[in-house]
Amino acid sequence: MNLTMLKAKLHRAAVTQCDLHYEGSISIDKDLLEKSGILPNEQVDVLNINNGERFTTYAIEAPAGSRMIGINGAGARKAQVGDLVIIIAYAQMSEEEAKSYTPRVVLMGEGNAVV
């Protein structure tokens, strides 16, 4: 049996832009992707702390050092610039693997700086 476990999380990231007319996805600063272990094109869930909205999309790379968290496409209807979000990636693993796996959790602070 495989379990779906938390792989990585960016906690309390601030949305820096919303682009309704982009084809979709969430743009995440390349440095934040690397710190969290989330890969470009990986499926993620986005949980909006401000309004309770949740949606699934995929991550794309924003320029390194930009601290960008950009909600694109239809997801842009579920967030506003300044909203705090939690971005979560999951992984499938056996129960045995899950018992020893530690997810990467990146806590975000002011201006999307890593705390």
Side-chain angles (χ1 to χ4, degrees):
M1 170 179 19
N2 281 329
L3 304 172
T4 302
M5 304 296 293
L6 175 66
K7 174 192 167 199
K9 175 168 77 164
L10 292 166
H11 188 75
R12 296 181 67 86
V15 174
T16 60
Q17 75 175 54
C18 292
D19 185 352
L20 181 63
H21 300 290
Y22 190 83
E23 68 183 63
S25 68
I26 183 170
S27 304
I28 302 172
D29 178 317
K30 179 181 180 181
D31 294 336
L32 297 176
L33 288 174
E34 289 176 358
K35 260 200 192 320
S36 67
I38 297 171
L39 299 175
N41 301 309
E42 184 171 358
Q43 179 178 311
V44 294
D45 284 346
V46 180
L47 292 61
N48 189 323
I49 295 169
N50 290 70
N51 64 20
E53 290 282 357
R54 296 168 171 252
F55 59 95
T56 301
T57 189
Y58 60 96
I60 62 172
E61 194 175 280
S66 67
R67 297 189 182 173
M68 177 189 284
I69 301 293
I71 310 295
N72 303 313
R77 295 235 185 247
K78 297 180 176 283
Q80 295 181 13
V81 171
D83 283 357
L84 296 178
V85 295
I86 301 168
I87 303 163
I88 301 172
Y90 303 95
Q92 298 285 317
M93 61 189 77
S94 70
E95 185 175 351
E96 194 61 35
E97 289 172 305
K99 288 178 182 178
S100 62
Y101 183 78
T102 303
R104 288 193 203 175
V105 176
V106 179
L107 303 176
M108 308 299 296
E110 189 72 28
N112 286 335
V114 174
V115 176

